[in-house]
Amino acid sequence: MATILTVKNLVTRFYTRDGTVHAVNGVGFHLDEGETLGVVGESGCGKSVTMLSILRLIPQPPGKIEGGEAIFQNHDLLQMSSDEIRAVRGAQIGMVFQDALTALNPVLTIGKQLMEPLQLHLRMERKDARQRAAELLKLVGLPNADLRLEDYPHQFSGGMRQRVMIAMALACSPQILIADEPTTALDVTIQAQIIELVKRLRQELGMAIIWITHDLGIVAGIAHRVQVMYAGFVVERAAVRELYGRPTHPYTRGLLGSLPRIDEREGRRLANVRGLPPDLLAPPTRCPFAPRCACAYDRCRSENPPLREVGPGHEVACWWDLEKGGVRYEC
């Protein structure tokens, strides 16, 4: 498959009164046509900031993209003018935000908000844009689409608002859809419906998806590859079956060990990742996971390991694997 997006050495900082927040520290990845890349990690690890940086949606100030490349259709998104990147957002790269109630404008009807990108990017007449907006609502499974165009966001349930956000993101048939924890505030039944909807739309429209989440259970059912982030770094990346079958980084093992499994013996205690999340005000000069890692040794506390390949398409940033070789948690 052809690569549709390539990100290299992305660095984003936030300059605050308390100091410099090292939010994204040299992140790189690629996305192929038609695939789903899952991006996982705990809150504050840089998942959302990475994707917002690519689309140049970081508030400046206090944020600043310090370096890197984001190559899309042979153009660097980070070097585009304001007008050029505005033409890409929504039209070629769509984004579904985490909280649909705050992402939607409360004083505009759903129809108006759906029609806006169609009129802006595709130059549709109002009548055609309205018809297309109704088709989009039907596409994402909302009944009585023609009538619901006149409703406001507060008249929709949480699951319906997420469907509206997905419809807006798909309005101009983008090549990439970025979904930023779109099921976090929803109950389990609605989560499953949204996930099945996105999988169906991916098959029908052939778009690539970046799915941001902290829920490894969701990623297992939707992603082709998984990228694990911690403290603004990518610490492990692999195909979904490889990552779940052979997790290598101590942080990934801790995340997976904290999930209940139906194939485990009864009475097994769930694992926990000990310690506290890292202080992002501190310059990243060592392995960011070292203070919480049972296997950490001197080099982990003085140098930050690079990503290296430990198998086909399986990359890990860990000094233990590089120097000690493989088996851990016997340490």
Side-chain angles (χ1 to χ4, degrees):
M1 289 185 292
T3 297
I4 192 173
L5 174 68
T6 302
V7 177
K8 298 178 181 178
N9 199 33
L10 179 65
V11 177
T12 302
R13 303 277 187 261
F14 289 90
Y15 296 92
T16 70
R17 291 181 179 179
D18 295 328
T20 301
V21 178
H22 301 82
V24 178
N25 304 298
V27 167
F29 64 91
H30 74 274
L31 180 69
D32 293 335
E33 291 180 348
E35 81 160 334
T36 298
L37 174 67
V39 182
V40 302
E42 61 195 41
S43 297
C45 72
K47 308 183 299 294
S48 298
V49 174
T50 295
M51 304 310 158
L52 291 172
S53 298
I54 291 169
L55 290 178
R56 307 258 298 280
L57 290 173
I58 295 295
Q60 301 185 48
K64 185 178 181 182
I65 301 171
E66 298 281 9
E69 296 180 339
I71 307 300
F72 174 71
Q73 293 187 341
N74 298 319
H75 296 286
D76 187 354
L77 299 175
L78 304 184
Q79 299 300 322
M80 287 183 173
S81 67
S82 297
D83 289 339
E84 289 172 334
I85 191 64
R86 197 175 296 118
V88 171
R89 296 190 206 115
Q92 299 173 66
I93 303 177
M95 187 159 186
V96 180
F97 295 94
Q98 180 174 351
D99 188 349
L101 186 58
T102 56
L104 293 168
N105 192 323
V107 300
L108 296 179
T109 65
I110 292 300
K112 175 67 175 174
Q113 296 183 64
L114 277 168
M115 291 162 60
E116 185 176 5
L118 297 169
Q119 293 175 299
L120 176 65
H121 294 298
L122 303 183
R123 308 297 181 187
M124 281 189 178
E125 297 293 334
R126 188 179 187 283
K127 180 181 178 181
D128 295 333
R130 182 180 175 83
Q131 180 180 346
R132 175 59 177 161
E135 292 173 355
L136 287 165
L137 290 185
K138 292 176 183 175
L139 181 67
V140 297
L142 285 180
N144 304 316
D146 293 326
L147 299 176
R148 299 312 302 263
L149 289 175
E150 300 302 323
D151 289 342
Y152 291 85
H154 72 272
Q155 295 174 275
F156 290 77
S157 68
M160 286 181 171
R161 284 194 293 266
Q162 284 294 11
R163 290 172 184 266
V164 170
M165 286 296 299
I166 293 171
M168 291 179 65
L170 298 177
C172 299
S173 301
Q175 295 171 272
I176 299 174
L177 176 68
I178 301 174
D180 186 2
E181 303 204 43
T183 62
T184 297
L186 306 177
D187 61 54
V188 177
T189 303
I190 303 301
Q191 278 189 14
Q193 292 175 4
I194 296 296
I195 292 168
E196 287 304 313
L197 170 64
V198 172
K199 290 168 69 174
R200 175 173 63 82
L201 292 175
R202 180 187 67 199
Q203 294 172 351
E204 292 179 1
L205 304 177
M207 62 186 175
I209 298 173
I210 298 175
W211 189 284
I212 305 169
T213 184
H214 61 271
D215 191 332
L216 283 159
I218 290 177
V219 168
I222 196 172
H224 296 101
R225 289 187 299 125
V226 185
Q227 175 169 289
V228 182
M229 292 188 65
Y230 186 81
F233 292 94
V234 178
V235 296
E236 187 161 6
R237 180 167 45 227
V240 65
R241 288 183 178 275
E242 171 73 7
L243 188 94
Y244 282 73
R246 195 168 70 95
T248 303
H249 195 278
Y251 179 60
T252 309
R253 287 172 172 252
L255 290 179
L256 290 173
S258 67
L259 293 177
R261 296 177 52 156
I262 61 173
D263 61 343
E264 290 282 356
R265 61 181 175 81
E266 185 178 354
R268 183 185 72 90
R269 293 181 62 87
L270 297 179
N272 69 303
V273 181
R274 66 179 189 176
L276 298 173
D279 180 9
L280 297 182
L281 293 173
T285 57
R286 63 179 180 183
C287 173
F289 192 63
R292 305 173 72 180
C293 182
C295 300
Y297 60 104
D298 290 344
R299 190 171 187 182
C300 304
R301 301 181 183 93
S302 61
E303 292 183 64
N304 195 0
L307 275 172
R308 72 178 190 93
E309 196 166 70
V310 294
H314 191 165
E315 298 171 284
V316 179
C318 181
W319 287 127
W320 182 275
D321 282 276
L322 183 64
E323 294 191 345
K324 309 293 184 180
V327 179
R328 62 177 76 251
Y329 288 151
E330 302 296 333
C331 50

